[in-house]
Amino acid sequence: MTNGNSAIPGRNVVVVGTQWGDEGKGKLVDWLTESAQGVVRFQGGHNAGHTLVINGVKTALHLIPSGIMRPGVKCYVGNGVVLSVGKLLEEIGGLEAAQVEVRSRLRVSEACPLILPFHAALDVAREAAKEKAGTDKIGTTGRGIGPAYEDKVARRALRVQDLKYPERFAAKLRDLIAYYNTQLAALDAAQVDWSMVPWLKDQPLSVFVEKGQVQFDPLLAQVLQQAEQLRPMIADVSRELNDANRTGANLLFEGAQGTLLDIDHGTYPFVTSSNCVAGNAAAGSGVGPGLLHYVLGITKAYCTRVGGGPFPTELDWQTEGTPGWHMATVGAEKGVTTGRSRRCGWFDAALLKRSAQVNGLTGLCITKLDVLDGLAELKLCVGYQLDGERVDILPMGADEIARCEPIYETLPGWSDSSVGVTRYEDLPRHAQQYLRRIEETTGVPIHVISTSPDRDHTILLRHPFQ
């Protein structure tokens, strides 16, 4: 029996990238947070970045959920995230310098595995060894995400909850350092030129690594010092989320990266080390899948990808005057976290069919439509030729995808500006035609359209929280 005075449970929305990441999820999470009381990050690490532009001011976030920019909204880092405490504290400091209150609103799961300097050292050393051997690099960011997830799966990870017990933490840390130093020695890490890794110039591994070996004392001292700052934010996130939902709070679950980087469903092995799909919002935060009411897929009006791996609709994006160059320059296609240039190509509807299938998408949000302003014609990939046969959905795995030849439809472009448009009927006629064709070829309705990075430049056709 139910109590007539019980609260109505909140409505929960999952936001996922449907391509290779960098689709503009940060802006949409920030925009949707107006209707939410909590925002949850459920996977990945600080290898991803979200850029928000609010009133012309740009803010980049890597670990903290994008909802932190909305006063009063609680932000949760779920157990599916691998956590660099140093990077989290650095991010908090940057936000506090901008007068954003963080610590009272941020909750970090005690079950998060920790990323430590030896994870980054191994990550960099492995990529250096691949390069030296002349084999294909995965294209990792070198921030230790993969090795940290390996520790989690192998059940040897140090977790946030271990920080509450310094002696236990120290004993586990000593054993883990010994394990990693053996691997670093095998990779001849003493010969790695750490200066070749751009982000290490600001956070040198040399503080902890001497002659290719991680040093116990300086690392333990730093981590225990950081733990004191983190302690007030450590929480049982699963319980807090379920309690919040029962009392009527709306929750927004924010994924990092994109579906085609998912460890199971992406262009394997050129993928990230976690599950980026909507279903992992449940496992990565500790709520039941029945509490995920709506899944919003974020997709660019074209395609981009960073790093190695197949990309069927990739264009020449480095030659001035080409459509790919237009996308790269007008779209400012540089990675938020790495600064690497993004490869650019035409919109791939067959790829999006795969994303719709594995995520159970309720609706789409099209971002960066304005970047296509000024192109005389557009091409839309509706399938592929693969080994002499036509297929209408992206195959599984990198080898088959690399053999796919895109089948295109050609649509007229538009010269009128769509920048800042907030009503669908005010979009250029051919832009509307392009969007309708995306809906028809993917089978997913478009519910939101972003026409610039600014929070307010958004066309709403159906609100995910309603």
Side-chain angles (χ1 to χ4, degrees):
M1 295 180 66
T2 58
N3 186 324
N5 296 322
S6 61
I8 299 173
R11 180 171 171 83
N12 304 320
V13 172
V14 185
V15 173
V16 292
T18 60
Q19 297 163 319
W20 283 285
D22 308 309
E23 299 94 350
K25 296 180 292 296
K27 170 193 166 172
L28 268 297
V29 169
D30 171 67
W31 180 75
L32 286 168
T33 302
E34 186 174 23
S35 301
Q37 288 74 54
V39 182
V40 188
R41 172 80 181 273
F42 60 85
Q43 50 80 218
H46 62 294
N47 57 335
H50 291 159
T51 299
L52 311 179
V53 180
I54 302 168
N55 298 324
V57 178
K58 184 181 290 187
T59 300
L61 300 173
H62 303 276
L63 278 168
I64 298 174
S66 303
I68 201 69
M69 304 305 290
R70 295 275 189 176
V73 172
K74 280 200 168 183
C75 290
Y76 303 87
V77 177
N79 56 275
V81 174
V82 284
L83 184 73
S84 165
V85 180
K87 286 301 297 182
L88 180 70
L89 294 175
E90 179 183 314
E91 203 163 302
I92 290 171
L95 288 165
E96 288 176 338
Q99 307 303 310
V100 177
E101 167 52 35
V102 179
R103 294 172 198 257
S104 65
R105 296 192 287 132
L106 183 62
R107 311 294 279 160
V108 178
S109 173
E110 59 186 357
C112 287
L114 294 171
I115 299 177
L116 295 160
F118 46 74
H119 293 121
L122 182 64
D123 212 354
V124 172
R126 281 175 173 170
E127 289 286 80
K130 286 179 182 291
E131 186 171 34
K132 186 176 180 180
T135 56
D136 288 341
K137 295 194 293 182
I138 295 298
T140 77
T141 61
R143 283 165 166 77
I145 311 301
Y149 274 115
E150 289 175 36
D151 282 354
K152 172 182 176 178
V153 174
R155 296 170 298 225
R156 60 174 172 258
L158 281 159
R159 305 206 297 179
V160 166
Q161 60 190 184
D162 292 314
L163 295 173
K164 297 189 289 186
Y165 309 99
E167 290 185 6
R168 185 176 82 185
F169 180 86
K172 289 185 176 182
L173 179 66
R174 192 180 293 278
D175 290 343
L176 206 50
I177 285 177
Y179 170 79
Y180 272 88
N181 278 342
T182 299
Q183 294 189 70
L184 289 167
L187 289 166
D188 198 16
Q191 304 303 314
V192 173
D193 183 0
W194 305 109
S195 68
M196 296 300 291
V197 185
W199 67 269
L200 287 176
K201 292 176 182 175
D202 298 323
Q203 294 180 305
L205 279 174
S206 57
V207 175
F208 310 106
V209 181
E210 184 178 320
K211 297 181 180 178
Q213 296 287 282
V214 178
Q215 305 300 301
F216 173 79
D217 290 332
L219 179 53
L220 177 65
Q222 185 192 76
V223 174
L224 292 183
Q225 183 182 37
Q226 293 170 342
E228 290 303 309
Q229 294 187 62
L230 182 67
R231 193 183 302 274
M233 295 174 273
I234 298 174
D236 182 343
V237 165
S238 172
R239 179 170 184 172
E240 291 197 11
L241 291 176
N242 281 277
D243 287 347
N245 182 256
R246 278 193 295 271
T247 57
N250 289 341
L251 300 173
L252 189 60
F253 293 80
E254 174 185 26
Q257 288 97 20
T259 301
L260 272 299
L261 292 176
D262 183 275
I263 187 69
D264 288 304
H265 302 287
T267 51
Y268 191 91
F270 299 96
V271 291
T272 192
S273 302
S274 60
N275 288 110
C276 313
V277 295
N280 196 37
S285 62
V287 303
L291 293 184
L292 308 178
H293 304 121
Y294 178 109
V295 181
L296 181 65
I298 314 297
T299 183
K300 278 178 181 166
Y302 50 101
C303 276
T304 65
R305 121 163 262 179
V306 171
F311 183 175
T313 64
E314 184 174 9
L315 296 168
D316 173 5
W317 47 271
Q318 295 175 302
T319 301
E320 186 172 349
T322 62
W325 181 86
H326 175 98
M327 296 169 189
T329 53
V330 177
E333 295 297 353
K334 291 274 190 182
V336 175
T337 300
T338 64
R340 293 183 294 181
S341 295
R342 299 182 187 127
R343 302 150 63 191
C344 297
W346 295 118
F347 186 88
D348 192 336
L351 176 154
L352 203 133
K353 282 183 183 178
R354 175 68 67 185
S355 292
Q357 176 179 287
V358 299
N359 286 299
L361 297 180
T362 312
L364 285 176
C365 169
I366 304 293
T367 65
K368 290 201 165 186
L369 181 68
D370 54 296
V371 172
L372 300 181
D373 293 355
L375 289 176
E377 66 177 26
L378 306 173
K379 292 185 184 296
L380 185 73
C381 175
V382 294
Y384 318 102
Q385 286 290 336
L386 175 61
D387 300 336
E389 296 184 6
R390 176 167 177 154
V391 294
D392 66 353
I393 191 169
L394 190 76
M396 297 287 285
D399 292 339
E400 282 195 317
I401 294 171
R403 299 200 306 275
C404 284
E405 298 178 13
I407 299 169
Y408 288 116
E409 290 182 2
T410 301
L411 295 146
W414 56 91
S415 56
D416 294 340
S417 175
S418 65
V419 176
V421 172
T422 56
R423 298 195 312 162
Y424 184 83
E425 56 268 28
D426 292 337
L427 287 172
R429 179 171 58 88
H430 287 153
Q432 296 181 36
Q433 179 184 346
Y434 181 67
L435 294 171
R436 285 195 299 271
R437 193 62 188 132
I438 287 175
E439 287 186 316
E440 292 165 359
T441 54
T442 63
V444 186
I446 294 172
H447 289 164
V448 185
I449 304 161
S450 172
T451 56
S452 96
D454 196 276
R455 176 193 280 173
D456 296 326
H457 293 167
T458 306
I459 298 170
L460 177 63
L461 302 176
R462 176 190 163 184
H463 202 297
F465 276 111
Q466 296 172 0

